[in-house]
Amino acid sequence: MGEKVVAGSFDLSDRQRYRDKLQQCLTGLERLLAQQRFDRPKNLMGLEIELNLVGADGLPKMLNAEVLERIASRDFQTELAMFNLEVNIAPHRLGDRVFDRLAEELRIALAYADRKAAEVDSGIAMIGILPTLDRDDLVSSNLSDVDRYTLLNDQIVAARGEDFTLDIEGVEHLRCTSRSITPEAACTSVQLHLQVTPGRFADVWNAAQAVAAVQVALGANSPFLFGRELWRESRPPLFQQSTDTRPPELKAQGVRPRTWFGERWITSAYDLFEENLRYFPALLPICDEEDPLAVLDAGGTPRLAELVLHNGTVYRWNRPVYDVADGVPHLRVENRVLPAGPTVTDVVANAAFYYGVVRALAEDTRPVWNRLPFEAAAANFDTACRYGIDARLEWPRRGRLGGTTTVDAVSLVRDELLPLAEAGLDAWGIEPADRDLYLGVIDERCRRRANGATWQAATFHRAQEKGLSREAALAATTRRYCELMRKGDPVHSWPVGLPEPAPLG
């Protein structure tokens, strides 16, 4: 979002001028869609992973500038806080042994970054929320030294007009306040991109929304925040509350939060961009010199810079993306549901399941979104965040009975969605060996009811049973997590608990 945003102030005319430009961009998008100007299918997928920097003690290290200087690769970038990095993997064509190639690229990139981080006594951790983060770590002075983060923080804080309240009740209850958006930096995720044609966009987005809860249930990896055990996947409530521009009065009026599941199935990508303009005031009203409609009139391809920037400040769990490559516009669905980690194998297995099941659901002759109320999909998402792999979800009945029923997430996956994911990967042309390896990881997670969140929670409690304090148990759990993450075996196979100390002598 806004790589070239620079710090500055806005006057009273900026927002109206920006609103006018946004409307021009939306009109330009509508014309591009009507003229069928978009790129043809290339079966392209992309991947981004947000990372944490941790020391040998398991505590966060505020060193991203130093580590990035040593990594010296455009594949790695800053993220919101000084203990965050992001790695971006170049787009891949879905097919053949793409997932094995992807896993190998990730292992090489992360091992390299880990070696460079070690030069400043730090290391890379792929985890949804670092268990050892303290409230004092998530303050505005620890924001990355990048203008766009400072400006975004200032604008969200100004829009809210008061402290942010974090209130999450799970296994334990956390309630505290923050004077900045920095707690959002605790949330480190995997973003999966899929390029689609305009005609396919709505089906793919609807399918991704329908299956988002299942993704969370399978991949939950964020049970702790500020020393409290909360939801199995605590990122979504934390992200929503730490970016919430609404004081209580606006929330009571039904104003939408900027971190948003949505409220309806769609018929076009246009629906989502139009909603973003209609519901959400600009946070960064920075106008580009381009006249998008004049560019279109001249036969060119507009960047739609204001629309793209505004879209980056509305945090949908499945976000529409407009981009231009080699002078040709394209659309992507950006899936932002999954937490980072625990291992490369787990990340790639999550990706394989997503790309397979979304293709199968999007091509189903009886679309799931015609049989599942949107409100049920949204409720499923919250339920999966709260209970993880033990969640029970509402889902359409199989066969001709109609209606919905409540089913264990693991039963839904093993009985219905894994076969669909297998068919979807076959349709992409994925090699059977790749397909079976990574979907097998998902199946084993279901069979054992084990994922990153269950391992973290169980290991933490074992550590406490051995007499460690809460703080020491969280640190020991984090150190053990990082050790097993580097070893690379999928999380369902990790032994619960801390290793016994080696005998002396």
Side-chain angles (χ1 to χ4, degrees):
M1 180 214 73
E3 285 293 329
K4 296 181 180 178
V5 168
V6 294
S9 59
F10 304 116
D11 62 35
L12 294 178
S13 64
D14 286 329
R15 292 185 187 279
Q16 184 58 57
R17 185 163 58 250
Y18 187 79
R19 187 178 291 117
D20 292 343
K21 281 296 296 287
L22 274 175
Q23 193 57 54
Q24 291 176 37
C25 288
L26 188 64
T27 300
L29 177 65
E30 189 174 28
R31 285 176 55 181
L32 284 166
L33 290 167
Q35 294 169 10
Q36 300 183 340
R37 290 273 303 277
F38 285 83
D39 200 3
R40 299 298 91 198
K42 292 181 178 175
N43 296 351
L44 288 179
M45 56 82 72
L47 176 70
E48 306 167 59
I49 308 177
E50 295 163 350
L51 307 164
N52 290 282
L53 292 172
V54 296
D57 55 5
L59 302 181
K61 300 279 277 189
M62 307 295 166
L63 292 171
N64 66 356
E66 292 90 334
V67 172
L68 283 168
E69 183 178 2
R70 284 165 170 79
I71 292 174
S73 167
R74 282 184 290 183
D75 293 340
F76 287 85
Q77 300 174 356
T78 56
E79 256 299 329
L80 184 61
M82 292 180 180
F83 62 90
N84 297 143
L85 302 175
E86 180 176 88
V87 59
N88 298 287
I89 299 299
H92 285 62
R93 190 180 302 277
L94 279 161
D96 301 321
R97 301 299 299 271
V98 64
F99 293 116
D100 261 358
R101 292 196 301 273
L102 185 64
E104 185 64 15
E105 284 184 36
L106 280 171
R107 289 188 184 101
I108 291 169
L110 293 175
Y112 173 72
D114 204 39
R115 290 196 301 272
K116 291 300 178 182
E119 295 176 6
V120 288
D121 299 320
S122 185
I124 300 293
M126 283 197 301
I127 192 167
I129 296 176
L130 195 63
T132 50
L133 282 170
D134 186 81
R135 288 180 60 188
D136 291 342
D137 296 319
L138 294 170
V139 293
S140 56
S141 58
N142 283 335
L143 285 171
S144 293
D145 187 19
V146 177
D147 281 348
R148 68 183 184 276
Y149 296 136
T150 301
L151 188 56
L152 184 66
N153 177 69
D154 292 347
Q155 293 302 304
I156 291 179
V157 168
R160 183 170 176 88
E162 59 187 76
D163 288 353
F164 298 87
T165 299
L166 305 181
D167 190 348
I168 306 172
E169 187 165 5
V171 177
E172 298 177 297
H173 190 183
L174 172 71
R175 183 177 171 84
C176 62
T177 59
S178 173
R179 302 185 67 84
S180 75
I181 67 168
T182 318
E184 179 204 325
C187 307
T188 45
S189 65
V190 172
Q191 287 116 49
L192 301 173
H193 291 255
L194 180 61
Q195 184 178 328
V196 293
T197 59
R200 298 267 296 146
F201 185 95
D203 289 349
V204 171
W205 187 87
N206 288 339
Q209 287 286 97
V211 82
V214 177
Q215 287 182 274
V216 169
L218 291 170
N221 196 28
S222 314
F224 296 105
L225 176 64
F226 299 159
R228 296 285 183 270
E229 186 179 354
L230 302 173
W231 293 9
R232 283 299 183 247
E233 187 52 44
S234 304
R235 282 171 41 258
L238 171 60
F239 204 115
Q240 178 172 322
Q241 293 176 19
S242 61
T243 59
D244 199 346
T245 55
R246 308 169 302 165
E249 296 81 4
L250 291 183
K251 192 181 300 186
Q253 292 172 35
V255 172
R256 283 89 174 164
R258 295 193 86 98
T259 301
W260 198 35
F261 188 82
E263 61 189 18
R264 62 176 175 139
W265 306 116
I266 65 166
T267 59
S268 166
Y270 180 88
D271 295 348
L272 300 176
F273 289 102
E274 188 276 332
E275 278 185 350
N276 287 356
L277 270 63
R278 182 155 42 100
Y279 292 147
F280 301 104
L283 288 178
L284 302 172
I286 301 167
C287 288
D288 189 77
E289 294 179 358
E290 176 188 79
D291 181 334
L293 301 183
V295 171
L296 271 172
D297 289 340
T301 301
R303 297 188 306 275
L304 306 184
E306 292 82 5
L307 189 73
V308 170
L309 179 58
H310 184 62
N311 187 56
T313 66
V314 180
Y315 306 105
R316 295 178 183 271
W317 295 111
N318 284 293
R319 176 189 273 165
V321 177
Y322 170 90
D323 204 354
V324 179
D326 299 323
V328 182
H330 68 261
L331 293 172
R332 301 195 302 271
V333 174
E334 180 190 16
N335 178 260
R336 302 160 47 82
V337 167
L338 290 163
T343 67
V344 167
T345 298
D346 289 301
V347 168
V348 175
N350 290 338
F353 176 78
Y354 169 75
Y355 288 117
V357 80
V358 162
R359 172 146 186 177
L361 289 175
E363 295 179 350
D364 197 329
T365 55
R366 298 180 65 224
V368 64
W369 54 93
N370 288 349
R371 298 178 288 134
L372 182 70
F374 192 92
E375 296 76 12
N380 281 346
F381 186 72
D382 284 346
T383 299
C385 291
R386 186 181 290 272
Y387 299 110
I389 207 159
D390 293 321
R392 289 179 58 79
L393 307 175
E394 185 176 347
W395 197 255
R397 285 191 178 91
R398 299 172 77 176
R400 299 182 178 274
L401 293 175
T404 62
T405 188
T406 302
V407 61
D408 284 345
V410 294
S411 299
L412 174 62
V413 171
R414 298 191 81 190
D415 296 344
E416 187 169 345
L417 297 183
L418 270 175
L420 286 175
E422 183 175 331
L425 293 181
D426 287 346
W428 287 120
I430 302 298
E431 285 285 339
D434 239 21
R435 177 199 69 200
D436 295 345
L437 171 64
Y438 292 107
L439 293 187
V441 171
I442 300 298
D443 187 49
E444 278 297 300
R445 267 192 234 156
C446 291
R447 192 176 70 81
R448 303 186 192 199
R449 289 182 178 260
N451 59 16
T454 65
W455 183 90
Q456 287 187 57
T459 298
F460 165 74
H461 289 297
R462 290 269 187 95
Q464 283 196 309
E465 289 166 6
K466 287 189 171 185
L468 272 64
S469 68
R470 177 180 290 255
E471 187 176 85
L474 288 167
T477 298
T478 303
R479 292 194 299 271
R480 179 62 171 160
Y481 178 102
C482 290
E483 178 186 331
L484 293 170
M485 177 200 72
R486 290 186 179 97
K487 186 178 176 184
D489 295 332
V491 72
H492 67 257
S493 68
W494 288 9
V496 169
L498 305 177
E500 295 294 333
L504 298 175

